[in-house]
Amino acid sequence: MTVRQRNLPNNDREEEENSSPSNVVPSANSSWDKCIDDEDSSSHEHGTQQPLVESTISTKQQEQLKTTTPPPPPSALDNFLSFYSTFSYGTFTADQGLKILQWSSWAIAYLTASSSFTSRFKNKHISPSFRHVYNDLSMARYALRFYGFFQSLEGYRSGSWAGGSWENPLIAKIVKYLMCGSMMIYYPLEHVAYAGWQMPKVVRVDANRFSAVSCRYWCAYIVGDFLVSCLKWRELKRKLTEVGHLVLKKKKEDDKEGVMTTLEEQNTITKKLRHVKIQVIRCLLFILPAINWSLPNWATDPLLSEPVVNGLMLGEAYTCVYQSIRNICG
């Protein structure tokens, strides 16, 4: 049985979870109600009568609130998908830890397989042992992908995989139809391949073929992720330039409060831009292994050698963890 491993580049949900929300501005209704309440309590203390205009405005507000149509409640499916996404979100970080162990185990096995190493350290079991760990971790990561389909469906319906709102509408469309859509096909194919490898006498399928087909949809995801990251890069770079000019303007006006606020916005954009740049690097590290595993004879006659493919995956694993740590630390 030949098994290859790969993992998906994280969407921007992680960055969105770790980023702090912007300053909340109270709505006009809540601010006005607060003012009325304060003035009401003050007038009662002094025994004065409230002006008629305030009660009139308050009545109009009440009528407006009554006539405002509330948003439709979320469907049962949306409630289930939201709960499922929250419950299974930990699989992203769990998979990151497993793939570090997986590809590091492969690297140790590869480096200790030479005859010079075994003759020097008098131990021929190091490389096979780490190769065994590598294969076991590969299967463990396949099991984690059983969470993936509903996460993809939730991203398709809610747009959460876009990583926030963007001025370019093409970003949301690529994320929804190309990235989420491809993953909703990718995961079921991966499950069939996993069952074929693990239970060949029960699930009688060509597991290698199903795996190759699933990787073609993974390639589509990577291409979409790369395009989205480039579009975000361009938009964030433009915003960073505009904010830089605004900082200079605030400094000339000696607006210290405005300078501080603008610098905070500049820092937020810089962090997002850093995240996007790392995402582009991850896509570039992913694409060659994905193409290699998408070919029909990837298991018997691979396009690329094992050191090339697994070396790229090792680099992506550490890049991914670095990206997550920077998002957490700020």
Side-chain angles (χ1 to χ4, degrees):
M1 178 182 66
T2 305
V3 179
R4 59 94 191 94
Q5 256 299 320
R6 69 259 185 234
N7 48 291
L8 302 179
N10 245 351
N11 52 61
D12 290 325
R13 292 179 62 187
E14 182 178 347
E15 183 208 7
E16 187 178 6
E17 292 290 334
N18 293 319
S19 61
S20 58
S22 57
N23 295 333
V24 179
V25 179
S27 63
N29 289 338
S30 61
S31 301
W32 180 253
D33 291 342
K34 181 65 172 61
C35 293
I36 291 177
D37 292 340
D38 291 344
E39 291 174 3
D40 284 344
S41 59
S42 175
S43 62
H44 286 307
E45 291 176 1
H46 294 84
T48 57
Q49 185 178 2
Q50 283 295 310
L52 181 60
V53 64
E54 291 187 3
S55 61
T56 304
I57 294 176
S58 179
T59 303
K60 288 182 178 180
Q61 283 185 325
Q62 293 176 4
E63 293 177 355
Q64 185 178 6
L65 291 174
K66 291 179 181 180
T67 58
T68 302
T69 304
S75 64
L77 177 59
D78 288 329
N79 286 331
F80 167 74
L81 292 174
S82 178
F83 169 78
Y84 187 91
S85 180
T86 303
F87 167 77
S88 61
Y89 183 72
T91 59
F92 283 112
T93 52
D95 185 67
Q96 288 178 7
L98 286 178
K99 71 178 178 180
I100 284 287
L101 295 175
Q102 174 198 350
W103 297 113
S104 297
S105 298
W106 168 83
I108 296 173
Y110 178 77
L111 294 174
T112 57
S114 62
S115 57
S116 60
F117 180 89
T118 55
S119 61
R120 180 180 178 182
F121 292 93
K122 309 293 184 183
N123 193 333
K124 61 181 180 179
H125 301 292
I126 296 178
S127 181
S129 298
F130 276 96
R131 174 72 66 167
H132 180 72
V133 172
Y134 158 70
N135 290 328
D136 283 350
L137 289 172
S138 298
M139 286 295 102
R141 294 188 60 221
Y142 266 96
L144 284 179
R145 290 178 192 156
F146 282 101
Y147 291 96
F149 175 80
F150 287 110
Q151 290 173 341
S152 306
L153 181 58
E154 189 276 333
Y156 180 87
R157 291 176 63 88
S158 69
S160 60
W161 282 20
S165 59
W166 301 88
E167 295 178 1
N168 192 337
L170 192 59
I171 293 176
K173 292 181 180 179
I174 294 175
V175 169
K176 180 175 183 177
Y177 295 107
L178 184 56
M179 295 174 64
C180 296
S182 63
M183 287 296 97
M184 286 191 289
I185 303 174
Y186 164 86
Y187 282 113
L189 294 172
E190 285 285 273
H191 303 335
V192 175
Y194 175 76
W197 282 322
Q198 296 295 90
M199 302 180 293
K201 294 183 179 180
V202 178
V203 182
R204 301 179 181 274
V205 297
D206 186 350
N208 289 345
R209 179 174 175 272
F210 273 90
S211 179
V213 175
S214 72
C215 279
R216 293 167 195 170
Y217 288 96
W218 182 37
C219 285
Y221 175 94
I222 296 170
V223 171
D225 196 9
F226 181 80
L227 292 175
V228 165
S229 298
C230 290
L231 292 174
K232 290 180 179 180
W233 189 337
R234 183 171 63 180
E235 183 172 322
L236 290 171
K237 189 176 180 181
R238 176 179 56 80
K239 288 183 177 180
L240 195 60
T241 303
E242 293 175 355
V243 171
H245 293 158
L246 186 59
V247 170
L248 295 177
K249 181 181 178 181
K250 296 291 183 181
K251 288 182 178 179
K252 290 181 179 178
E253 296 173 352
D254 197 22
D255 184 358
K256 295 182 179 179
E257 183 177 352
V259 169
M260 293 299 297
T261 303
T262 310
L263 286 176
E264 290 178 0
E265 182 181 357
Q266 187 180 48
N267 186 46
T268 301
I269 296 174
T270 301
K271 291 178 180 179
K272 290 183 179 180
L273 185 58
R274 180 188 63 208
H275 178 90
V276 168
K277 289 179 179 179
I278 298 175
Q279 194 69 21
V280 169
I281 294 173
R282 292 181 60 202
C283 291
L284 295 176
L285 291 170
F286 268 136
I287 191 61
L288 286 179
I291 293 173
N292 178 77
W293 289 324
S294 299
L295 301 178
N297 299 325
W298 66 268
T300 57
D301 186 22
L303 175 67
L304 302 173
S305 64
E306 183 188 70
V308 173
V309 173
N310 290 4
L312 290 170
M313 296 302 294
L314 177 66
E316 190 283 328
Y318 281 92
T319 304
C320 176
V321 171
Y322 171 76
Q323 184 186 46
S324 297
I325 292 174
R326 291 305 302 264
N327 288 338
I328 295 172
C329 297

